[in-house]
């Protein structure tokens, strides 16, 4: 007899549900005097149960078990093995199961590393995490069961959306989910603190690495998503202010604010109630993001699933969790008393300004995302909110923030005020002159270039002149890396956006064209048959001053099972510029429309995010060492 | 419950309500700004005859205007409904042939029957642009004074004809 | 002071960069939505309707129409849904001013509470 893996997977899901209920008994079933050990072991056990269930799902994909509806819709026998595996989380059902697995993993960690917390806080904290896990799992079992059976078993499956047959999209969702769901730890802890009516310094310090870790994953996830869009969608954009991107960007901005305020709470016992509120809001925004993406109520490039019953379920959960969290907060917010007052001219004062700007920026994006929807529901004229709006509203908010970021090193080094003013003025003028020298084609460019230079000079100025003390250096390294990453990102974004050369044109075989400082020749057109698609591969020779620099091979693929055409851009990437070619449509037998882009410094966008993540990891490590 | 809590509760509740209503909202439906406006001025050739058609070619009746093309697969689906509408004396039926080759269009109609009284041949798509057409097929209704009363995007069917079009076509008669 | 200097520079630079027809065309097609696509602008899209519209925009620019006239022309026909920059009118007032109101209220609340 063949073992039915799909059944085992489903059984484990149900077992997970039971486990969650079991986890909640010590808190909610009074009179039995149940031991807290139930809570601790159940919260650890949840992860292995769901993980194995998820492995079962992968096994059904690899084993081509088309009796499962989800498998038959998202995979077929011609798919390469790696995509069969990744198809397990490419569709709605599987990705929601992945969400649950990730959530159970965070609960596992939370349970493992919370020994030092007071007992009642820990109990409440883990119980809330248990409730969240129960909710997510219930959602999967009730509305999105990946192990549901087909009524009749098809001979072969459908297809994995060709857009998703790509490395970027294999790793993007798990990373993003790690970030989203990591924030549930922060949320649960904050709500648990509300029940304790206290938010002690040590607790804030305990919370800090969790915020940083979630933030790092979010950054990585968003960055991967943007990189994927850049090379896969075929028009060279890396950020569209698309509702789905906004859904991930809002919790990112909010958690960036939280990273700062939680430091103040941890070191000086300040902003207690504000940090708690931010924690609740941050996770609420990740839930809202999930709702917006999963319910299909927004038109967007990435929206895959839509089904009102699922939407209602998520909405209900959203309302209960956020409503519950906020209720717990409002009932107890008066009890949080700060240990110290804040001086505006101090690190904490800067954090406050930082928080005001970042929260406003988040609000702006929320408004831009929700406003068209609200108008539509009210029956008013439908509008689009896109790049021009966000440029107009978001960038002005970022300018003061960046001025602050640049100022921070000097503030921390406690140089006398007179000296500071002089030095700041010098750095300001140097940055300004530099940016005017390099960037003279638009205001946005000057502002962007200036911002990057301003931050970088300030950091290095401080590194060379003042921060020689190694303890001090260590304590700031994370911050410097992250802020430097921000500067690199801004540099990449503003240089590439403002000096890019973009051309759409038609080339015949053998024809040469000059774009920017390079010559492009359509050298060859080849046809290639792969297992699950046919491709036309063009070879474009790039030369400068008659010497060949690169051969770029953009592809146009036609996938067999879905009959959909996909563009695979060809990119010649160097540190200082990308040459980007994508195939458009065939005009004639040997004549194709092409998009050729020359994008200087675009790599810096993603390099910047890597620096940010390194900074965040350094901060986590540093905090750990001082605790030991 | 203090004032702030109250305000936040209201905002929170409203947001949930909007999200809920959003679930039952079709994000793809866009109201045309041309409803209630005059049908745009045009001067284009007839698909069959060598004559020029313009706004005076409409007769003083309510008129259904259907934008179609021989290359459009969805047009196939609605064609029998248009044939069904074509016998009616109450209103007129005019076609706009959108970005098509004359021969293809005539051949396509030859196979399936011609429901239209006249067909405006819009090869460049200029009239369609003035009408805000963004996908064939599209169906419009104008009144005796050439005011646009109704627009539907996508193929029509019995439900749309009965529920949406007929009330406009035969009102006040 | 710093901000004022920056602002002055911004104002100065505003006048230097007048845009020519080609850059106007590029700006326009990036600010207009492809009506048949899922959230793409005209520049990104190769849908037939988008190609037609780009052609039309080019013709209109060549015949001396201004950016705003073209936007008006298209939104009269396709509704302001086609504009990625929502027009500032009664209906969209909240969208444009709410960020300012929000930052004022938030600053007031936080600064009053924490800065002694």
């Amino acid at each position: 007899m063949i073992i039915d893996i799909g059944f085992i997977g489903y059984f484990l899901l149900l077992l997970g549900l039971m486990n969650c209920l079991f986890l909640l008994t010590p808190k909610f079933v009074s009179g039995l005097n149940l031991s807290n050990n139930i809570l601790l072991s159940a919260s650890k056990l949840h992860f292995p149960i769901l993980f194995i269930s998820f492995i079962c799902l992968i096994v059904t994909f690899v084993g081509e078990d088309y009796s499962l509806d989800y498998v038959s819709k998202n995979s077929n026998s011609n798919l390469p093995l790696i995509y069969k595996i990744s198809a397990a989380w490419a569709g709605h059902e599987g990705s929601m199961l992945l969400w649950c697995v990730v959530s159970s993993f965070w609960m596992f960690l939370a349970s493992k590393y919370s020994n030092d917390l007071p007992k009642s806080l820990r109990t409440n904290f883990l119980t809330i995490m248990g409730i969240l896990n129960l909710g997510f799992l219930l959602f999967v079992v009730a509305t999105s069961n990946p192990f549901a059976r087909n009524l009749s078993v098809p001979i072969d499956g459908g297809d994995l959306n060709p857009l998703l047959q790509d490395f970027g999209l294999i790793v993007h969702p798990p990373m993003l989910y790690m970030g989203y769901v990591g924030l549930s730890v922060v949320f649960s802890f904050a709500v648990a603190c509300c029940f304790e009516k206290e938010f002690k310094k040590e607790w804030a310090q305990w919370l800090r690495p969790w915020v940083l870790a979630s933030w790092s994953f979010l950054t990585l996830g968003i960055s991967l998503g943007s990189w994927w869009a850049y090379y896969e969608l075929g028009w060279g954009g890396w950020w569209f202010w698309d509702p789905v991107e906004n859904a991930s960007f809002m919790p990112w901005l909010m958690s960036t604010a939280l990273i700062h305020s939680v430091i103040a709470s941890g070191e000086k016992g300040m902003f207690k109630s504000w940090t708690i509120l931010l924690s609740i809001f941050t996770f609420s925004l990740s839930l809202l993001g999930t709702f917006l993406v999963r319910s299909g109520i927004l038109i967007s490039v990435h929206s895959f699933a839509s089904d009102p019953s699922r939407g209602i379920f998520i909405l209900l959960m959203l309302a209960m969790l956020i409503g519950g969290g906020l209720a717990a907060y409002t009932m107890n917010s008066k009890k949080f008393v700060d240990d110290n007052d804040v001086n505006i001219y101090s690190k904490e004062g800067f954090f406050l300004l930082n928080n005001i700007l970042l929260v406003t920026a988040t609000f702006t994006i929320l408004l831009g995302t929700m406003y068209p929807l609200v108008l539509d529901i009210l029956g008013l004229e439908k509008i689009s909110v896109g790049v021009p709006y966000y440029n107009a509203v978001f960038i002005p908010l970022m300018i003061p923030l960046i001025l602050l970021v640049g100022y921070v090193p000097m503030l921390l080094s406690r140089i006398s005020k007179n000296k500071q003013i002089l030095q700041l003025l010098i750095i300001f003028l140097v940055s300004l002159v530099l940016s005017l020298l390099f960037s003279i084609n638009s205001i946005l460019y000057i502002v962007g270039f200036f911002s990057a230079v301003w931050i970088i000079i300030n950091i290095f100025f401080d590194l060379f002149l003042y921060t020689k003390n190694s303890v001090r250096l260590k304590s700031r390294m994370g911050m410097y890396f992250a802020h430097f990453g921000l500067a690199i990102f801004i540099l990449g974004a503003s240089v590439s956006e403002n000096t890019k050369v973009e051309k759409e044109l038609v080339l015949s075989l053998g024809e040469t064209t000059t774009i920017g400082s390079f010559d492009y020749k359509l050298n060859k057109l080849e046809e290639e048959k792969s297992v699950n698609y046919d491709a036309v591969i063009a070879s474009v020779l790039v030369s400068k001053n008659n010497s060949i620099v690169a051969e770029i091979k953009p592809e146009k693929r036609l996938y067999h099972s879905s009959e959909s055409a996909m563009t695979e851009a060809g990119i010649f990437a160097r540190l200082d510029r990308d040459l980007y070619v994508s195939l458009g449509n065939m005009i004639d037998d040997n004549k194709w429309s092409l998009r050729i882009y020359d994008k200087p410094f675009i790599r810096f966008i993603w390099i910047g995010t890597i620096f940010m993540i390194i900074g965040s990891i350094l901060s986590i490590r540093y905090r750990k060492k001082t605790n030991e | 419950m203090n004032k702030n809590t109250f305000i936040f509760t209201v905002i929170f509740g409203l947001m949930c309500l909007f999200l809920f209503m959003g679930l039952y909202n079709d994000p793809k439906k866009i109201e045309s700004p041309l409803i209630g406006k005059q049908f745009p001025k045009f001067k284009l050739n007839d698909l069959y005859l060598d004559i020029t058609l313009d706004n005076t070619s409409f007769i003083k009746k309510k008129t259904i205007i259907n934008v179609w093309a021989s290359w459009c697969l969805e047009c196939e689906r609605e064609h029998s409904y248009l044939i069904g509408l074509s016998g009616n004396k109450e209103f007129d039926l005019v076609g706009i042939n959108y970005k098509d080759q004359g021969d293809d269009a005539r051949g396509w109609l030859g196979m399936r029957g011609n429901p239209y009284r006249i067909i405006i041949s819009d090869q460049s798509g200029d009239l369609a642009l003035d009408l805000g057409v963004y996908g064939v097929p599209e169906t419009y209704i104008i009144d005796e004074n050439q005011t646009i009363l109704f627009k539907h995007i996508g193929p029509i069917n019995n439900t749309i004809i009965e529920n949406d079009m007929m009330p406009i076509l035969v009102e006040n008669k | 002071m710093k901000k004022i200097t920056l602002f002055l520079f911004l104002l100065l630079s505003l006048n230097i960069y007048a845009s020519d027809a080609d850059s106007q065309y590029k700006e326009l097609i990036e600010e207009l939505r492809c009506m048949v696509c899922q959230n793409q602008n005209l520049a990104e899209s190769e849908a037939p309707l988008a190609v037609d519209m780009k052609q039309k925009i080019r013709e209109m620019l060549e015949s001396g129409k201004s950016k705003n006239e073209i936007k008006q022309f298209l939104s009269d026909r396709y509704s302001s849904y086609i504009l990625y920059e929502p027009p500032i009118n009664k209906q969209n007032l909240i969208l444009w001013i709410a960020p300012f109101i929000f930052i004022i209220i938030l600053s007031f609340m936080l600064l009053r509470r924490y800065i002694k």
Side-chain angles (χ1 to χ4, degrees):
Chain A
M1 195 191 113
I2 306 160
I3 303 166
D4 189 343
I5 304 288
F7 179 76
I8 298 176
Y10 187 56
F11 176 77
L12 285 168
L13 278 192
L14 297 180
L15 192 68
L17 267 185
M18 300 311 290
N19 184 54
C20 271
L21 290 171
F22 194 49
L23 187 158
L24 300 180
T25 47
K27 186 76 194 171
F28 294 107
V29 183
S30 51
L32 289 175
N33 218 356
L34 290 161
S35 141
N36 233 25
N37 286 335
I38 293 181
L39 174 71
L40 292 179
S41 37
S43 57
K44 283 185 188 130
L45 195 62
H46 196 48
F47 171 59
I49 296 176
L50 289 193
F51 187 71
I52 298 172
S53 168
F54 191 64
I55 296 288
C56 289
L57 184 63
I58 293 178
V59 172
T60 58
F61 267 93
V62 175
E64 298 174 11
D65 183 356
Y66 299 126
S67 70
L68 297 184
D69 183 45
Y70 178 66
V71 179
S72 70
K73 280 196 178 118
N74 288 287
S75 174
N76 62 49
S77 50
N78 283 330
L79 215 56
L81 181 66
I82 177 84
Y83 298 130
K84 273 185 192 159
I85 296 173
S86 73
W89 62 89
H92 169 80
E93 289 86 350
S95 74
M96 284 294 103
L97 178 57
L98 177 68
W99 175 288
C100 290
V101 175
V102 169
S103 173
S104 66
F105 178 65
W106 280 109
M107 181 161 71
F108 173 81
L109 293 180
S111 174
K112 190 159 186 272
Y113 293 109
S114 55
N115 283 326
D116 304 337
L117 297 175
K119 193 177 165 228
S120 75
L121 176 65
R122 191 185 192 197
T123 311
N124 283 336
F125 168 47
L126 291 177
T127 306
I128 295 166
M129 288 226 70
I131 294 173
L132 290 176
N133 273 286
L134 179 67
F136 296 147
L137 197 54
L138 212 53
F139 174 66
V140 169
V141 173
T143 74
S144 324
N145 178 12
F147 297 106
R149 298 285 172 180
N150 267 327
L151 285 178
S152 62
V153 181
I155 300 159
D156 202 346
D159 197 9
L160 177 61
N161 183 345
L163 271 176
L164 307 181
Q165 296 185 23
D166 177 86
F167 172 76
L169 264 224
I170 294 178
V171 278
H172 164 70
M175 292 303 117
L176 203 58
Y177 285 2
M178 282 295 284
Y180 275 163
V181 184
L183 292 170
S184 77
V185 178
V186 180
F187 171 87
S188 309
F189 191 80
V191 176
C193 286
C194 289
F195 289 122
E196 297 299 307
K197 303 183 193 334
E198 172 61 288
F199 186 44
K200 290 192 176 126
K201 275 201 224 170
E202 310 87 87
W203 300 355
Q205 277 174 20
W206 186 89
L207 186 59
R208 188 167 164 267
W210 300 90
V211 183
L212 283 166
S214 316
W215 183 89
S216 307
F217 280 114
L218 259 187
T219 313
L220 189 60
I222 295 172
S223 177
L224 279 168
S226 129
W227 180 55
W228 168 81
Y230 169 70
Y231 70 73
E232 187 72 19
L233 294 183
W235 62 83
W238 52 273
W239 192 257
F240 308 96
W241 293 105
D242 181 274
V244 172
E245 290 169 332
N246 290 348
S248 62
F249 194 43
M250 289 189 280
W252 187 87
L253 283 170
M254 218 47 166
S255 51
T256 311
L258 182 58
I259 286 177
H260 294 89
S261 80
V262 81
I263 294 176
S265 303
E267 288 176 355
K268 302 247 170 79
M270 291 168 178
F271 311 137
K272 284 181 181 171
S273 92
W274 173 246
T275 304
I276 296 283
L277 186 62
L278 265 187
S279 308
I280 295 172
F281 271 133
T282 308
F283 181 60
S284 305
L285 284 171
S286 9
L287 278 183
L288 182 70
T290 320
F291 172 77
L292 292 179
V293 178
R294 286 292 151 203
S295 62
I297 61 173
L298 297 164
I299 310 180
S300 133
V301 252
H302 320 259
S303 205
F304 300 119
S306 60
D307 179 347
S309 74
R310 287 170 184 168
I312 290 171
F313 198 110
I314 310 183
L315 185 59
L316 264 175
M317 213 157 73
L318 191 104
M320 285 194 300
L321 292 178
I322 301 175
L326 287 178
Y329 171 78
T330 40
M331 280 188 287
N332 302 300
S333 66
K334 293 274 181 322
K335 310 264 169 43
F336 297 111
V337 181
D338 285 359
D339 304 351
N340 291 296
D341 281 341
V342 183
N343 173 3
I344 189 75
Y345 186 74
S346 70
K347 189 163 112 179
E348 290 74 23
F350 272 39
F351 286 170
L352 201 58
L353 298 177
N354 150 308
N355 275 218
I356 289 171
L357 293 165
L358 283 172
V359 172
T360 307
T362 315
F363 169 78
T364 309
I365 297 172
L366 183 65
L367 186 71
T369 314
M370 298 289 294
Y371 202 75
L373 179 74
V374 173
L375 286 187
D376 200 16
I377 291 166
L378 294 177
L380 295 161
E381 192 189 19
K382 202 164 167 167
I383 58 161
S384 301
V385 178
V387 181
Y389 173 79
Y390 292 109
N391 278 353
V393 186
F394 189 76
I395 292 177
L397 285 170
M398 290 300 110
I399 293 172
L401 188 68
I402 280 156
L403 290 175
L404 289 177
V405 170
Y407 188 8
V408 164
M410 219 170 270
L411 178 85
L412 293 182
S413 290
R414 295 182 205 286
I415 306 155
S416 73
K417 269 197 185 160
N418 288 337
K419 233 176 161 183
Q420 264 190 29
I421 291 172
L422 187 68
Q423 288 171 354
L424 277 178
L425 204 63
I426 293 171
I427 298 179
F428 186 87
L429 287 175
V430 170
S431 318
L432 199 61
V433 169
L434 272 176
S435 33
L436 285 173
L437 274 180
F438 282 100
S439 48
I440 39 168
N441 68 2
S442 81
I443 307 154
L444 270 183
Y445 191 12
I446 294 172
V447 172
F449 201 95
F450 171 83
S451 308
V453 178
W454 162 253
I455 296 173
I456 294 172
I457 295 185
N458 264 302
I459 290 176
F460 282 97
F461 193 76
D462 189 64
L463 278 177
F464 285 115
L465 283 183
Y466 298 105
T467 315
K468 299 243 164 83
N469 173 334
S470 77
V471 176
R472 201 196 249 181
L473 189 65
K474 258 191 188 155
S475 71
R476 286 192 206 162
M477 225 39 199
M479 181 265 280
Y480 279 159
F481 262 92
H483 287 180
F484 181 71
L486 175 68
I488 292 294
F489 166 81
I490 295 171
L491 191 68
S494 51
V495 175
S496 69
E497 282 306 302
N498 290 290
T499 64
K500 64 184 175 186
V501 187
E502 303 191 329
K503 273 271 152 52
E504 269 178 72
L505 70 172
V506 176
L507 280 185
S508 320
L509 197 61
E511 199 181 340
T512 304
T513 181
T514 307
I515 293 161
S517 51
F518 296 91
D519 298 326
Y520 299 80
K521 182 182 175 194
L522 183 57
N523 191 41
K524 252 190 308 195
L525 286 165
E526 288 172 328
E527 283 180 25
E528 194 183 90
K529 291 198 188 306
S530 178
V531 205
N532 54 337
Y533 61 85
D534 293 341
V536 174
I537 305 175
S539 153
V540 177
L541 284 181
V542 186
S543 52
K544 192 175 187 175
N545 304 327
N546 291 326
S547 63
I548 289 176
V549 183
E551 183 189 18
I552 299 178
K553 293 188 152 177
E555 287 180 42
K556 193 94 185 177
R557 291 179 183 170
L558 188 69
Y559 282 82
H560 295 155
S561 35
S562 53
E563 297 256 312
S564 48
M566 293 294 317
T567 313
E568 291 279 308
I571 302 171
F572 172 63
R574 288 195 316 210
L575 188 61
D576 66 330
R577 68 172 69 236
D578 273 21
L579 302 178
Y580 183 111
V581 182
S582 80
L583 274 177
N585 303 313
M586 189 170 78
I587 309 290
D588 231 328
D589 253 1
N590 285 321
K591 220 174 185 184
W592 280 79
S593 78
L594 292 161
R595 285 164 184 254
I596 301 181
Y597 300 156
D598 182 342
K599 300 199 168 219
F601 278 66
I602 191 149
R603 294 279 129 179
F604 278 46
I605 289 172
W606 300 291
I607 294 173
T609 60
I610 294 171
F611 272 103
M612 291 186 210
I613 295 165
I614 295 174
S616 166
I617 294 168
L618 286 176
S619 296
I620 297 174
R621 282 181 55 88
Y622 174 73
R623 181 55 52 191
K624 250 186 156 176
K625 279 198 182 127
T626 50
N627 280 354
E628 275 160 12
Chain B
M1 211 195 231
N2 65 28
K3 210 173 69 193
N4 281 345
T5 323
F6 179 72
I7 293 170
F8 280 116
T9 318
V10 169
I11 293 176
F12 181 69
L14 272 178
M15 243 179 102
C16 291
L17 185 68
F18 275 121
L19 289 174
F20 179 73
M21 288 165 75
L23 285 173
Y24 293 95
N25 197 48
D26 180 6
K28 296 217 170 71
K29 223 164 127 186
I30 301 151
E31 189 102 333
S32 169
L34 287 168
I35 306 277
K37 301 256 168 64
Q38 280 298 107
F39 192 85
K41 297 263 173 296
F42 68 97
K43 223 183 184 89
L44 290 163
N45 286 333
D46 186 273
L47 181 68
Y48 284 99
L49 305 169
D50 191 18
I51 53 167
T52 311
L53 301 172
D54 58 21
N55 295 63
T56 59
S57 309
F58 293 125
I59 49 176
K60 282 257 171 219
K61 265 187 189 175
K62 292 216 168 135
T63 305
I64 301 173
I65 298 165
N66 178 251
V67 188
W68 65 281
S70 67
W71 45 263
C72 144
L73 294 173
E74 297 279 293
C75 298
E76 191 107 40
R77 289 211 343 233
E78 66 169 6
H79 201 73
S80 58
Y81 300 106
L82 287 168
I83 302 252
L85 283 169
S86 68
N88 205 312
K89 292 275 182 300
E90 301 258 338
F91 46 81
D92 192 18
L93 182 54
V94 171
I96 297 179
N97 183 231
Y98 173 68
K99 301 200 85 174
D100 212 346
Q101 301 294 327
D103 287 339
D104 294 349
R106 285 184 288 268
W108 195 85
L109 283 182
M111 301 265 294
R112 295 166 182 82
N114 179 358
Y116 312 108
R117 180 178 63 84
I118 46 171
I119 300 168
I120 304 162
S121 172
D122 185 21
Q123 289 197 6
S124 63
D126 280 344
L127 174 59
L129 191 81
D130 277 340
L131 268 173
V133 168
Y134 53 93
V136 276
E138 284 191 10
T139 304
Y140 296 77
I141 296 174
I142 59 171
D143 68 3
E144 297 83 350
N145 305 315
Q146 299 187 16
T147 307
I148 299 171
L149 301 175
F150 170 84
K151 170 179 182 174
H152 175 77
I153 298 165
I156 56 168
N157 54 37
N158 266 337
T159 330
I160 293 163
I161 292 172
E162 290 306 322
N163 295 345
D164 302 333
M165 293 171 64
M166 276 306 169
I168 299 174
L169 286 166
V170 295
E171 70 179 346
N172 305 329
K173 286 271 169 175
Chain C
M1 183 60 209
K2 272 176 297 176
K3 283 180 193 163
I4 296 169
T5 345
L6 182 71
F7 186 66
L8 280 178
F9 268 101
L10 290 185
L11 276 185
L12 275 178
S13 40
L14 254 175
N15 297 325
I16 306 171
Y17 315 113
S19 48
D20 52 78
D22 199 43
S23 61
Q24 271 190 339
Y25 170 73
K26 272 195 179 141
E27 278 167 31
L28 257 178
I29 60 174
E30 279 181 11
E31 285 174 26
L32 293 170
R33 186 180 199 129
C34 162
M35 299 293 286
V36 290
C37 315
Q38 294 226 313
N39 206 5
Q40 280 181 1
N41 62 35
L42 288 181
E44 292 155 357
S45 172
E46 278 167 25
L49 181 71
V51 175
D52 286 356
M53 275 192 187
K54 283 192 263 195
Q55 184 58 33
K56 184 81 185 173
I57 290 167
R58 212 179 258 285
E59 281 165 19
M60 289 179 82
L61 276 171
E62 275 160 11
S63 68
K65 291 270 193 310
S66 75
K67 256 179 85 170
N68 283 338
E69 280 170 328
I70 296 175
K71 281 188 178 176
Q72 190 62 47
F73 174 87
L74 286 170
S75 66
D76 280 347
R77 284 156 183 77
Y78 286 91
S79 85
S80 27
Y81 185 67
I82 199 170
L83 307 172
Y84 266 127
E85 179 171 5
I88 303 177
N89 56 25
K90 236 190 272 164
Q91 176 191 296
N92 301 335
L93 199 62
I94 297 174
L95 179 69
W96 285 100
I97 62 168
F100 296 98
I101 298 175
F102 185 87
I103 197 168
I104 290 167
I105 295 176
L106 186 69
S107 313
F108 182 73
M109 276 167 51
L110 285 181
L111 294 178
R112 197 187 57 167
R113 166 148 189 193
Y114 288 114
I115 305 293
K116 294 282 146 69

